[in-house]
């Protein structure tokens, strides 16, 4: 639609509104027209953003005020949007890793909400105009539940892919080109999904597959984790052989080019891998056993470091990432002859991220025309990611490549290209094929080959762009960070006297990082007139160890204070309505949500998604990976009691809605049920939604949709002062509905 067309139709639309005596008919008509006007010009979008950010008109120019007159005036939160919950849930495909096959074609793992969250391996087409093809047969799903969070569920070598099947957790081998041949099982059938495998690599020297194994046959809470080898040449399935054992956890088994040495990462309770971990190298004997071991990093008690992502160069040198020295995850390498670790490039930026899932791949080796090893890497600094090239020999500088992504996860090296997983404020989670010039210093082609939401561009006029904000914390002179998204809709405006309601999100982890990228879940809210804040409270990654360590011993304090201070900062800046502040979060973010509602009076309502209510119960029942996590984050028995929202029900006074998967082993369902029952008995408005077949995090499209819609209608009914005109049937709220 041209600017002239929009100028004609919007005033007509506003006047037509009064002709519809039947309100529901008008809104059905409205929804159709909103979809039609979805291609409104960028200039209108910018004026929409300006009006949402500054509700008062004092500094608007004449052009902006003229555009304003064409818009429909309606309360914040009540705006109609084509970004429906169906659109959001259908667009929430997840990426589970990438690899390149023997023909140089990309293989990626995507989970599909429309198939109940089934994860499928997909192959890049040979010709750009063709469609990608599924590799995984319909009766299989590629996913490992090792350490509950999984990752590293498949590996590709030439024409062979080895993957973990979700239902039985066994490993299977499959030919990529001969898809009529069913996958062949490689590991024993234990009568159920009690043994999981992850983070594997092929060892061509001994024709075996080496990976991390989590064995829960003896204990689900205290499973045994080892590095094992699985023979590939035998017709009969054999029991895997243990190569490395003795530590609580392992990751990243990686062989040098001749398969004479293997590197790996290990760590022990009570540490998490980002607190303290060790890098080891084992030397391989002629019969495939490890006959000698050497600790490369992490053994020096005077150095507290988190080593991660070991990788051998084509020349057989060992590179890895650690945060020794400056407190940021930087590239290092091991000089074997001197048994010395030296930095490759030092920068106050994070070249990796916390090891919540297996299979992280933040850097790759690429060949230059001089046959020297160049390192393609991603790093994160002050809320933004960069793609860079480091020359291992001349490592005094880094060449930053110009690409549209402002957020980067993994990098996979292809045939003369890089495959980069990333996103930006206008790009959803995607994979781009990046071609470089001969000197590997400039990008000559950037092409997106996979997108979690390929149709998202048609909604671009509704997108609210994130603003990185820095706000003061409880500690004088110390700041924290968040992304603020103002309301944005090219068809609506609110009255000049009104300020928007705020939905503030506390991310999970809690050692995670929220990023300012296109998330249709957020746009669902902002396109309806909500302001949205995504907080990186103290303890989040992306800002170095010092920032991350703010949460040690103070979980439930620092995160809660930072979320409350962010909301207060936005109120003080005149950007949101201080009487309509809501908070939401999942997992650890759900704990922060419940704690903020119990111990503070900043927020007026909240939504907890599979959140923690009882810290002591969590320590007793959670899985092995996080079973001692709270030791460092909280402290002794007294602190566990004092910081558990369930023990302070008398302090709750505002409405809460809870969502919980019934197969969740990270935060068991009893947590949500316990807080629900207590609040119900106290008389606080509360609702509980439970989902069959869901684990930690919701993967089914229908459940993603229902959660989103019910949060919205819950907030609207209880604190919003506006009506939700979508066809949403609200669930019963105890102590509110008769």
């Amino acid at each position: 639609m041209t600017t002239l067309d929009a100028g004609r139709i919007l005033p007509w639309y506003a006047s037509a509104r009064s002709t519809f005596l039947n309100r529901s008919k008008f809104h059905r008509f409205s929804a159709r027209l909103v979809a039609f006007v979805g291609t409104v010009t960028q200039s209108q979008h910018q004026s929409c953003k300006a009006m949402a950010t500054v509700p008062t008109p004092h500094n608007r120019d004449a052009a902006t005020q003229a555009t304003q007159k064409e818009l429909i005036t309606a309360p914040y939160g009540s705006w109609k949007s084509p970004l429906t919950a169906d659109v959001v849930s259908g667009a929430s495909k997840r990426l589970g890793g990438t690899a390149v096959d023997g023909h140089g074609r990309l293989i990626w793992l995507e989970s599909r909400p429309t198939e109940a969250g089934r994860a499928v391996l997909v192959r890049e087409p040979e010709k750009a105009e063709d469609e990608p093809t599924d590799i995984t047969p319909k009766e299989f799903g590629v996913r490992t539940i090792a350490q509950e969070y999984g990752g590293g569920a498949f590996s590709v070598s030439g024409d062979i892919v080895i993957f973990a099947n979700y239902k039985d957790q066994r490993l299977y081998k499959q030919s990529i080109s001969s898809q009529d041949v069913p996958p062949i099982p490689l590991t024993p059938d234990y009568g159920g999904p009690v043994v999981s495998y992850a983070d594997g690599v092929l060892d061509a020297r001994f024709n075996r597959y080496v990976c991390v194994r989590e064995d829960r046959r003896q204990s689900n809470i205290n499973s045994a984790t080892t590095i094992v080898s699985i023979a590939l040449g035998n017709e009969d399935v054999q029991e895997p052989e243990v190569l490395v054992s003795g530590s609580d956890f392992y990751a990243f088994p990686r062989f040098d080019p001749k398969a004479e040495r293997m590197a790996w990462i290990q760590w022990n309770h009570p540490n998490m891998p980002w607190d303290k971990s060790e890098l080891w190298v084992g030397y391989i004997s002629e019969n495939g056993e490890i006959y000698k071991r050497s600790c490369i990093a992490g053994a020096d008690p005077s150095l507290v470091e988190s080593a991660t992502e070991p990788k051998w160069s084509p020349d057989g040198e060992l590179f890895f990432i650690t945060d020794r020295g400056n407190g940021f995850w930087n590239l290092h390498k091991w000089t074997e002859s001197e048994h010395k670790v030296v930095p490759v490039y030092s920068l106050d930026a994070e070249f990796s991220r916390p090891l919540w899932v297996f299979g992280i791949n933040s850097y790759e080796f690429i060949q230059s025309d001089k046959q020297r090893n160049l390192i393609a890497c991603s790093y994160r600094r002050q809320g933004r990611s960069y793609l860079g090239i480091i020359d291992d020999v001349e490592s005094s500088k880094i060449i930053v490549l110009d690409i549209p992504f402002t957020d980067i996860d993994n990098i996979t090296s292809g045939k003369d290209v890089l495959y980069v997983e990333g996103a930006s404020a206008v790009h959803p989670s995607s994979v781009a094929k990046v071609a470089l010039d001969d000197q590997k210093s400039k990008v000559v082609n950037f092409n997106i080959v996979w997108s979690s939401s390929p149709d998202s561009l048609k909604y671009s006029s509704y997108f609210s762009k994130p603003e990185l904000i820095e706000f003061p914390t409880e500690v004088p002179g110390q700041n924290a960070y968040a992304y603020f998204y103002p309301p944005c809709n090219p068809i609506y405006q609110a009255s000049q006297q009104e300020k928007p309601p705020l939905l503030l999100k506390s991310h999970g982890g809690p050692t995670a990082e929220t990023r300012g990228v296109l998330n249709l879940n957020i746009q669902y809210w902002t396109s309806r007139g909500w302001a949205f804040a995504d907080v990186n409270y103290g303890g989040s990654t992306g800002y170095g160890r010092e920032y991350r360590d703010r949460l040690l011993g103070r979980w439930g304090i620092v995160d809660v204070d930072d979320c409350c201070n962010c909301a207060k900062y936005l109120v003080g800046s005149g950007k949101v309505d201080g009487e309509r502040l809501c908070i939401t979060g999942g997992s650890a973010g759900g704990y922060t949500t419940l704690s903020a509602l119990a111990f503070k009076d900043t927020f007026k309502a909240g939504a907890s998604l599979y959140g923690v209510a009882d810290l002591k119960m969590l320590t007793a029942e959670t899985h092995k990976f996080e079973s001692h996590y709270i030791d460092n984050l909280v402290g002794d028995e007294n602190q566990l009691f004092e910081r558990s929202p369930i023990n302070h029900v008398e302090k709750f006074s505002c409405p809460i809605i809870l969502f919980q998967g019934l197969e969740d082993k990270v935060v068991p369902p009893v947590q949500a049920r316990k807080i629900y029952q207590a609040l119900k008995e106290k008389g606080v408005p509360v609702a509980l939604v439970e989902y069959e077949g869901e684990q930690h995090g919701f993967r089914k499209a229908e459940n993603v949709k229902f959660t989103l819609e019910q949060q919205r209608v819950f907030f609207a009914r209880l604190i919003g002062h506006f009506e939700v005109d979508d066809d949403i049937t609200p669930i019963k709220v105890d102590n509110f509905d008769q």
Side-chain angles (χ1 to χ4, degrees), residues 664-721:
D664 193 338
K665 292 184 175 63
V666 178
V667 180
V670 66
Q671 294 257 339
R673 290 171 178 170
K674 192 174 179 182
I675 195 77
Y676 164 72
Q677 192 60 39
L679 293 175
K680 181 180 177 181
E681 292 174 2
K682 184 179 185 291
V684 173
V686 63
L688 171 63
V689 178
E690 295 182 323
Y691 296 124
E692 294 279 355
E694 290 283 17
Q695 297 178 318
H696 198 63
F698 306 145
R699 290 174 169 81
K700 298 178 181 179
E702 62 271 23
N703 295 339
V704 174
K705 173 188 175 182
F706 193 80
T707 301
L708 196 56
E709 289 184 335
Q710 290 302 323
Q711 281 188 81
R712 180 175 165 232
V713 75
F714 181 84
F715 292 145
R717 293 177 68 208
L718 278 78
I719 61 99
H721 310 307

Side-chain angles (χ1 to χ4, degrees), residues 274 304-306 321-329 545 548:
W274 48 85
V304 178
E305 63 180 321
S306 166
I321 295 173
T322 187
D323 59 352
R324 64 168 60 185
N326 64 359
F328 288 84
W329 277 311
R545 178 180 281 269
R548 193 167 71 243

